Each structure stands twice: as C-alpha cells, then as structure tokens.
Amino acid sequence: MRVLTVLGNRPQSVKAAAVSRVLRQRHEEILVHTGQHFDDELSTIFERELGVPKPEVQLGLGGGSNTEQTAKQLAALGPLVAQRRPDVVLVYGDTNSTLTGGIAAVQAGIPVVHVEAGMRSWDWKMPEEQNRVLTDALSDLLLVPSKTAQANLEREHPRGRVIYVGDVMVDVADLFRPKARENSAVLERYGVTPGEYVISTTHRAANVDDPARLRKLVDLLLAVPHQVVLPLHPRTRARLEAAGWYDELAAKVVLTPPLGYLDFTALLVHAHTALTDSGGVQKEAFLARTRCVTMRDTTEWVETVQSGWNELVDLDTERALVALERPMPAEHPAPYGDGHAAEHVVAAIETLDV
Ligand code: UDP
C-alpha cells in the first residue's frame, strides 16, 4: 500500500517514530510535514535519536491563525494528494494538520486513518478538541489509544470503524526510556539533582495567549519551592517576551530551548514532579511513574488522574503547591496498551479494502 502521512508538530513526530518504523517494513510511506510547528534543529535531533524518517515533502506553512493555517494547508495538501494518489492518508492526534490531512483525503475519495482517535476533553473551546471531533467524523478507521476513547466513540456512532490499538507513544517511551534514564549529562547541564527539581512544559493557547492567564501561569511557576526547568515552546517564549515577563521568570526558573526527546525524557524520569499543560507529557509522566500536576481543568488522559498519578489544578497556585507534594500512588495500571500499538496500527490499515 502507499500511505501518505501528514505531520505538523513535535508530538506527531514522536508518534511517527513508532509507526513509520513498522509501516515501512511492508508498505510505501510518503511523509509530509506541513511546517505548522517546525524547528529544523529539533527535527534533525528527532531523526537522529528516534529514527523519525526525514519528511519527503516540506510544505513550510507555519504561522497565522488557526483558520489561516487550515486554509493554507488545505490549498497545498489538496493538489499533493491528487498528484501522489495514495491508497490511504494517515493522520495523528489533534492539530490543524490532522484535520487538513483528513479533509484533503476525503475530498479526493481516499480513506483516512486517524491514530489517537476518540480522545475528548469535552472543552469545545480548545482548538485541539475541535480538530479531534472533526477528524473523527471524517475518518474511515478510528484507532483508539484507550478504552475511554473507545467508549467516547461508541456514544458518538462515527461512520468509520473503531479499533483499539493502544497508544503509540507507549511504544516510543518503552523503547527509549532506558536510554534516557542513563542520560545524566542533561541534569548536569542544567545543575539539577534527581528527585529534587520540577520539569515543566506549557504551550496551550488557553494558558499563554491571554495576558491575564499568562500572568497567573508566571506567578504559579515562580511560587514552586523546587528548581523548575522549563524547555520553552516557541509560542510561550513569544508571549512572555511580548508581555515583558521573560526576564522575571528567567531569574528563578531554568528556561531552556526545546529539547531533544532523550534529554527531555531524562529530565522527566528523574524529576520530583512534572508540571505541564501538555497532553503527551501528562501521559509520559504517568508511564515513567513521575508525579504529574496538570495546569488545565480538563484532560483527555483521564486514567492518569483516576489512578492518582496526575492531578488537575488549572492555574491555581495553592492547589498546585499541595498537588506537588502529594504522595505517589502504590498502584500503577496500564490503560494505554501493550507497547506494540504501532504493529496494531499497521495491521488495522491492512484490513482496509483499497
Ligand atoms: N518534548 C520534547 N522536548 C521538549 C518538550 C517535549 O521532545 O522540550 C516531547 C515530549 O516528550 C512529548 C512531546 O514532545 O513526547 C509533547 O509535545 P507537546 O507538549 O508539544 O504537545 P502535546 O502533547 O501537548 O500535544
């Protein structure tokens, strides 16, 4: 089969690290990067560390509002899909690139496979939630990472087929966590001791785009009684600089550029706590048995909260400080599959009648 995969940001490259490896053993893959969030240096690190193949097509369409991005991506993906005539279009997660890959395929009459289907935060204001719901509606194969996602879709009765495959990020985490755990150089680089610092990430529009919310976020980070290490997402950096709060934060928090997966994972597995608004990081903290405090009031990864490994505090500093010191649960369930999700994804694709 010829599979055209559309990527647009960092977590999608992590997911492709798992799937492309298996897919390419038996099928042809055309990897397209829209450039929605593209960092050349980081992308090279991901290729080297995780074996993510170099995208064959780079559309270079970064910047702009969600609507502008969607329009630009569709204008480029439409002719590309028509020209390459893949048997299947494969999309991951919940970005604008997920949605536009799906629309371009549907309009060309090509089946769509959505990996990480069925996730819901039930917060319709989140751009990611809009992308998830719309992409699920147009997909032929909805590959879910958890039983919760499966139950969500059973209630919605989508037109495509729903298959539980587990989470492809578990495959990547299982594969690379041992190597990351050995990587002490990054802790030395940032002057932190295992178990004593907090690793943080933040980039959700709801937390950084509105100056009042951004201020609450800065105050929360400044109140943490541990050294905080925060690899800054480009969007967050831009918002902090525009508000004039970058230097104030940098005086107390170790602000780093976005890190490679192995450096980031080393900091995550050895941290006292992960303090984040990222979906992927909540789950990776759970998998690494690192306590997590999430700066949102909803999550798609409900099992991490139900099991006690993750706590939602929104931007409430008092609640965050309590959650940061809570004891870790004794039990650690495995709701996200068997670590072979990529194989299940490829097997599911092979059931398509194309
Ligand atoms: N990540 C990384 N370097 C960093 C921060 C995160 O490699 O400096 C990885 C992290 O391990 C996870 C993914 O990027 O696999 C999460 O991406 P992000 O927070 O951008 O997206 P989200 O999961 O919120 O969609």
Side-chain angles (χ1 to χ4, degrees):
M1 267 188 216
R2 180 188 294 165
V3 180
L4 187 144
T5 301
V6 181
L7 304 181
N9 74 354
R10 171 173 69 190
Q12 289 171 337
S13 297
V14 175
K15 290 162 199 167
V19 177
S20 292
R21 203 167 42 93
V22 182
L23 186 67
R24 287 171 184 234
Q25 288 165 9
R26 301 208 281 273
H27 303 283
E28 181 193 345
E29 185 182 37
I30 305 164
L31 201 58
V32 178
H33 201 297
T34 62
Q36 185 176 332
H37 283 142
F38 188 77
D39 175 330
D40 205 17
E41 201 181 323
L42 204 60
S43 171
T44 310
I45 298 179
F46 274 40
E47 280 162 31
R48 196 182 58 230
E49 286 183 345
L50 306 184
V52 184
K54 212 178 185 53
E56 192 183 315
V57 183
Q58 285 279 6
L59 297 177
L61 301 171
S65 67
N66 286 324
T67 309
E68 284 161 352
Q69 264 184 21
T70 306
K72 279 192 291 188
Q73 289 177 10
L74 266 179
L77 286 170
L80 185 72
V81 167
Q83 183 211 346
R84 299 294 182 114
R85 297 300 315 162
D87 299 304
V88 175
V89 168
L90 176 62
V91 294
Y92 294 96
D94 55 22
T95 67
N96 296 334
S97 310
T98 313
L99 177 61
T100 55
I103 296 175
V106 166
Q107 292 181 336
I110 294 165
V112 179
V113 177
H114 185 201
V115 172
E116 212 176 83
M119 301 311 290
R120 298 289 180 267
S121 65
W122 311 111
D123 176 0
W124 185 244
K125 287 196 296 294
M126 272 182 95
E128 294 89 343
E129 183 80 352
Q130 299 160 6
N131 290 332
R132 290 177 195 128
V133 171
L134 296 170
T135 305
D136 283 343
L138 57 75
S139 294
D140 294 83
L141 262 190
L142 297 96
L143 305 183
V144 296
S146 69
K147 297 289 177 188
T148 306
Q150 188 163 17
N152 291 341
L153 290 176
E154 276 161 12
R155 282 195 297 275
E156 291 180 18
H157 301 290
R159 51 166 283 283
R161 245 181 324 134
V162 178
I163 303 180
Y164 173 80
V165 291
D167 189 336
V168 294
M169 274 177 126
V170 175
D171 301 18
V172 183
D174 284 358
L175 214 56
F176 294 100
R177 201 182 312 111
K179 199 167 166 197
R181 208 178 277 283
E182 312 274 279
N183 172 10
S184 55
V186 65
L187 275 74
E188 282 158 29
R189 190 188 324 143
Y190 297 118
V192 289
T193 310
E196 292 185 3
Y197 64 92
V198 169
I199 178 77
S200 186
T201 71
T202 174
H203 67 86
R204 290 265 93 76
N207 282 348
V208 304
D209 283 0
D210 166 23
R213 294 273 301 171
L214 182 63
R215 185 63 235 178
K216 282 184 88 166
L217 172 73
V218 169
D219 288 339
L220 193 163
L221 292 168
L222 291 175
V224 172
H226 300 268
Q227 180 62 66
V228 177
V229 180
L230 173 59
L232 260 192
H233 193 278
R235 166 201 214 108
T236 311
R237 173 181 288 271
R239 301 293 185 271
L240 285 168
E241 283 172 354
W245 298 329
Y246 180 90
D247 290 342
E248 184 188 355
L249 192 62
K252 180 146 189 280
V253 168
V254 177
L255 299 176
T256 81
L259 300 175
Y261 185 82
L262 292 181
D263 278 355
F264 181 76
T265 305
L267 286 167
L268 181 72
V269 300
H270 292 296
H272 173 277
T273 302
L275 176 62
T276 188
D277 61 17
S278 152
V281 175
Q282 289 174 59
K283 193 176 39 191
E284 287 169 346
F286 170 79
L287 295 171
R289 299 172 190 238
T290 297
R291 182 193 297 102
C292 187
V293 176
T294 294
M295 298 182 285
R296 289 178 46 191
D297 56 3
T298 57
T299 184
E300 307 75 46
W301 304 101
V302 290
E303 299 83 358
T304 62
V305 175
Q306 285 159 355
S307 60
W309 287 90
N310 186 13
E311 194 167 325
L312 306 179
V313 301
D314 197 12
L315 294 179
D316 185 326
T317 297
E318 264 176 53
R319 279 167 59 202
L321 296 188
V322 176
L324 271 168
E325 305 308 333
R326 74 189 192 280
M328 307 252 244
E331 305 284 313
H332 190 268
Y336 301 126
D338 59 6
H340 296 280
E343 283 144 50
H344 304 315
V345 167
V346 176
I349 293 174
E350 287 167 351
T351 67
L352 280 169
D353 187 16
V354 291

